[in-house]
Amino acid sequence: MIDFANITAAFYQTMQPECFLSILVGTLFGTVVGALPGLGPIVGITMVLPFTYVMGPLSAIALLLGLYCGSVYGGSISAILINTPGTPNSAATCFDGYPMAKRGEAGKALAWVTIGSVFGGLFSTLVLIISGPQLAKFALRFGPVETFALIMLALTCIATVSRGSTVAGIMTGMIGLFMAAVGPDPLDGDIRFDFGFFQLTAGFGLIPVVVGIFALSEVFTRAGEASDQVTATVSYDGMVFPKWKDIWLKGRPMQMFKAAAIGTGVGILPGTGAATAAFISYAEAKRTSPRGDKFGDGEVDGLLASEIANNAVTGGALVPSLALGLPGDAVTAVMLATLVLHGITPGVRLMVDNPIAVYSSFISLTIANIAMFFFGILVAKLFAYILKVPEVLLMGLVVILCLLGTYGVRSNIFDVYLTLASGLLGYMLRMIGAPLAPLVIGLVLGQQLELSLRQGLIVTGDSFTKFFVGHPIAVVLFIVTALILGIPFIKYLRSRGKIEEATAGDLPD
Amino acid sequence: MNKILPLIFSGTMMLISGFLLLHSFVFPPHTAASLDTDFGILFYPRIILTVWLGCATALFFQYLYQKRKFVLKSINWKLLGVSILLTLIVCIMFEYLGFLPGCIVFCFLYPFALGYKNLKVLIPVSILYAVSLWFVFNKVLLIILPESPWM
């Protein structure tokens, strides 16, 4: 049944000036941040985070949602105009966007990308609106054992699917889970692993760690790669929108829906991200499009496949975040952390306990995707000027906002040092190619994982057998987790077997 | 050199997780409350630490025996070191000198040390940025920033 009362209330609150303005400011700022190579959604969110502390929860989330959508789209502007994706999400956009720009069709490419991004974003928002409440309703059946199994599945997905080695992914996940275990035990409240430091009795703050791991380590990485290279933009005189018949060209509407479905589906899976969605969608479009042979030479279908998919990830990633309280990536983890800062507990009861916040998120996301269309035109026009801001100047300002953002949570200087330490850890993890997302997701979900494990053991009378095989939903989730963990190992063993067979065949008699 | 960095990192991870695991057995925390369960407050962290230790050990040996060269991006260690050092200095300055002086000094020094030498832009930008942030946070958002002993 449609909850009209709460939807109306959410609509009324979202349309209040503070909230509505937050969506617009977030989308505009996100588009700028996304367009600047090196700054991505996480750095952008870090920069606005301190301002959300004094906002209402709906406005804070609206600002972050706008920024999220805008930054994913913004990356395509630099991908087309300077052949450098503003974020890794738009890497596939370069393949066809830059060739179009080089032959003087930058305006056309940007117009297609804008249409595609808005379409992808709105499609995934619709999926979120339809599937989110259903999933949340189903999740209400979850007890502690099911919750434990679900979190295990999410963490396993994130650790194995994220870029880098699986073992490194699991290790970073464990570091995050351990950091969440420092401080008060969720059941008894007893303090552990504080090593006599008063500041550690409350545990590690989520915001300092997230900001350090992602934003500060990104600054260090850019500093270590600093170059004086000046990037030249191609000539651009404003967007040239396609004619109606170009949109309905043979096979194109189907390609657009397919890209949106791929993006949304990939977004729902924890740990995958927009870059993966864009590449999968691009490969699929190349295989099936009637104009697939022109991909790479500036084909509109290629542009659309990449951009629709990466923008569709935004709504998809919010499905598990809002319905189950499971963040799929670092951006949604920060969003859930912001909810916590505002006294809203994410989890399976989020939709039941805070329906207005959830419906308001849906509305904000819809408005942000529409606003993206207009801000895209503006930012693309001003891009040449935006690009003139020297990167080193910008990085210094980002560091200050990172430190302010972490200080502002508890007004505690310890958090500032913790941010720096996390930044160094993040930099080292980047250096060895370990994924960062599992650490943050582990930190977000750690307390809930421990609580559900220990509550589950109390419920089952401390019996591991009952815990692992006594709950049908949990059993299915445990089996899927085991399969995800086991398949790479089986593949490895099979490939070794094949190599040995081949080597044995080569041996002389 | 190619293998040294990942080996040092995974080795450090092994040592940290091993130390924490040992610490949980040698110095168990005093528990004030206790529910009727066999699994105490260190049950879960020990599982986590054991898996962490296992993964770190596996990574260490993986790096030690892998034949494929570990490709490290070319890094400008000097700029990286300066960047980290200046960030540490600004944290210390926030604590002892307050936000405003620390922010002005950092916003000037950071781009300068990383190669941006245009003083005509740098000086006004660092002062304007620090003062506007201080004003927005202290006066508009009412988030009190670290105070300077001289103000």
Side-chain angles (χ1 to χ4, degrees):
Chain A
M1 211 177 87
I2 299 168
D3 187 0
F4 281 112
N6 281 321
I7 292 172
T8 315
F11 186 77
Y12 174 75
Q13 293 203 24
T14 314
M15 287 300 152
Q16 293 300 306
E18 183 192 310
C19 194
F20 191 74
L21 212 65
S22 299
I23 305 170
L24 299 186
V25 171
T27 313
L28 177 62
F29 185 65
T31 312
V32 174
V33 163
L36 283 169
L39 305 180
I42 278 285
V43 176
I45 283 184
T46 307
M47 288 168 82
V48 300
L49 208 55
F51 301 98
T52 64
Y53 301 154
V54 289
M55 290 177 164
L58 301 189
S59 305
I61 288 298
L63 181 76
L64 300 186
L65 284 171
L67 202 149
Y68 185 27
C69 292
S71 62
V72 174
Y73 160 68
S76 64
I77 297 174
S78 50
I80 290 169
L81 294 181
I82 58 170
N83 200 24
T84 307
T87 62
N89 308 336
S90 299
T93 309
C94 292
F95 300 156
D96 286 287
Y98 191 62
M100 279 180 84
K102 270 208 302 192
R103 61 174 189 242
E105 293 179 355
K108 197 177 154 190
L110 279 168
W112 274 112
V113 155
T114 307
I115 292 170
S117 300
V118 173
F119 175 75
L122 288 176
F123 179 92
S124 66
T125 306
L126 191 68
V127 173
L128 170 68
I129 292 170
I130 294 167
S131 64
Q134 305 306 322
L135 194 60
K137 209 184 281 175
F138 176 72
L140 284 177
R141 296 184 201 168
F142 284 22
V145 182
E146 287 83 0
T147 307
F148 176 81
L150 186 70
I151 296 174
M152 284 302 292
L153 175 62
L155 281 172
T156 311
C157 275
I158 292 159
T160 50
V161 174
S162 303
R163 280 181 293 173
S165 103
T166 304
V167 181
I170 297 172
M171 188 184 77
T172 51
M174 290 303 137
I175 298 173
L177 288 176
F178 176 75
M179 286 170 99
V182 171
D185 152 60
L187 213 59
D188 296 345
D190 286 318
I191 309 294
R192 58 213 168 159
F193 297 110
D194 63 332
F195 299 100
F197 287 100
F198 169 71
Q199 289 92 340
L200 282 179
T201 52
F204 286 108
L206 177 65
I207 298 293
V209 177
V210 174
V211 170
I213 287 282
F214 283 99
L216 211 54
S217 70
E218 177 68 42
V219 173
F220 293 154
T221 309
R222 305 290 297 183
E225 294 168 356
S227 67
D228 299 330
Q229 196 184 338
V230 179
T231 326
T233 56
V234 293
S235 63
Y236 167 71
D237 297 319
M239 288 192 195
V240 181
F241 283 94
K243 293 194 174 84
W244 196 242
K245 65 173 182 175
D246 293 333
I247 297 173
W248 294 100
L249 208 65
K250 191 187 167 196
R252 188 162 285 163
M254 191 61 203
Q255 294 292 338
M256 289 173 74
F257 277 105
K258 204 191 283 177
I262 290 173
T264 312
V266 171
I268 292 171
L269 292 175
T272 41
T276 315
F279 279 104
I280 294 174
S281 171
Y282 187 83
E284 174 59 19
K286 191 175 180 177
R287 195 180 65 83
T288 55
S289 166
R291 294 161 289 278
D293 53 327
K294 291 181 192 155
F295 273 42
D297 299 326
E299 170 53 48
V300 172
D301 283 359
L303 261 187
L304 287 174
S306 154
E307 273 307 303
I308 292 175
N310 70 25
N311 281 278
V313 165
T314 52
L318 287 168
V319 174
S321 307
L322 292 178
L324 307 172
L326 295 177
D329 56 18
V331 181
T332 44
V334 177
M335 279 187 202
L336 291 189
T338 311
L339 283 178
V340 175
L341 284 177
H342 285 92
I344 297 173
T345 311
V348 291
R349 292 197 58 85
L350 180 65
M351 273 199 185
V352 178
D353 296 338
N354 299 283
I356 293 177
V358 176
Y359 290 128
S360 171
S361 304
F362 295 165
I363 298 165
S364 301
L365 205 60
T366 311
I367 297 171
N369 277 297
I370 296 166
M372 213 159 71
F373 182 84
F374 301 101
F375 290 138
I377 297 171
L378 180 73
V379 174
K381 195 89 184 157
L382 300 174
F383 182 67
Y385 301 103
I386 295 169
L387 209 63
K388 279 184 183 160
V389 181
E391 189 181 312
V392 280
L393 201 61
L394 214 57
M395 287 303 172
L397 311 185
V398 171
V399 171
I400 292 294
L401 275 175
C402 283
L403 300 179
L404 271 189
T406 53
Y407 179 82
V409 182
R410 298 191 288 196
S411 296
N412 189 345
I413 204 78
F414 174 77
D415 286 343
V416 176
Y417 289 107
L418 178 61
T419 309
L420 176 61
S422 305
L424 291 174
L425 175 66
Y427 182 76
M428 283 188 274
L429 289 171
R430 279 174 195 265
M431 210 158 60
I432 66 155
L436 304 177
L439 193 153
V440 174
I441 314 283
L443 187 59
V444 173
L445 299 175
Q447 286 243 330
Q448 213 185 336
L449 182 73
E450 179 177 7
L451 189 65
S452 54
L453 171 69
R454 293 183 56 200
Q455 280 178 339
L457 283 170
I458 292 171
V459 170
T460 56
D462 289 347
S463 161
F464 279 102
T465 318
K466 282 183 191 164
F467 187 92
F468 284 105
V469 295
H471 299 77
I473 298 174
V475 170
V476 175
L477 295 171
F478 282 133
I479 290 172
V480 177
T481 308
L483 283 174
I484 291 173
L485 274 176
I487 285 171
F489 187 65
I490 294 165
K491 272 187 181 171
Y492 169 74
L493 288 181
R494 284 183 65 180
S495 66
R496 269 194 71 168
K498 276 181 187 167
I499 291 168
E500 274 169 18
E501 268 176 36
T503 326
D506 290 344
L507 286 173
D509 294 328
Chain B
M1 177 64 190
N2 282 329
K3 276 185 181 179
I4 287 175
L5 279 172
L7 277 177
I8 291 175
F9 181 77
S10 49
T12 311
M13 287 292 125
M14 269 168 69
L15 286 176
I16 293 173
S17 51
F19 165 75
L20 290 169
L21 193 60
L22 196 69
H23 181 273
S24 76
F25 284 103
V26 180
F27 303 107
H30 297 289
T31 50
S34 173
L35 287 175
D36 186 19
T37 171
D38 291 342
F39 304 104
I41 64 166
L42 289 173
F43 163 67
Y44 167 82
R46 280 175 187 156
I47 298 174
I48 299 297
L49 288 169
T50 310
V51 182
W52 177 0
L53 180 61
C55 289
T57 312
L59 264 186
F60 183 82
F61 285 104
Q62 195 180 314
Y63 288 130
L64 191 66
Y65 291 112
Q66 79 178 10
K67 291 188 182 97
R68 188 162 47 93
K69 275 192 173 180
F70 180 79
V71 185
L72 197 66
K73 272 189 194 170
S74 61
I75 297 169
N76 188 331
W77 292 101
K78 194 179 149 196
L79 290 184
L80 174 68
V82 166
S83 176
I84 293 170
L85 189 70
L86 283 174
T87 312
L88 174 66
I89 289 171
V90 77
C91 295
I92 297 169
M93 284 202 291
F94 278 178
E95 189 174 2
Y96 295 103
L97 299 182
F99 171 78
L100 207 50
C103 187
I104 293 174
V105 172
F106 179 81
C107 286
F108 175 79
L109 275 185
Y110 192 87
F112 191 82
L114 264 66
Y116 186 78
K117 311 277 182 193
N118 189 346
L119 295 182
K120 278 182 193 166
V121 174
L122 211 47
I123 294 171
V125 164
S126 40
I127 294 172
L128 202 70
Y129 183 67
V131 172
S132 52
L133 268 187
W134 177 84
F135 181 80
V136 168
F137 275 80
N138 265 21
K139 305 292 175 194
V140 181
L141 303 178
L142 300 176
I143 296 174
I144 304 301
L145 299 175
E147 297 273 337
S148 167
W150 306 298
M151 290 176 76

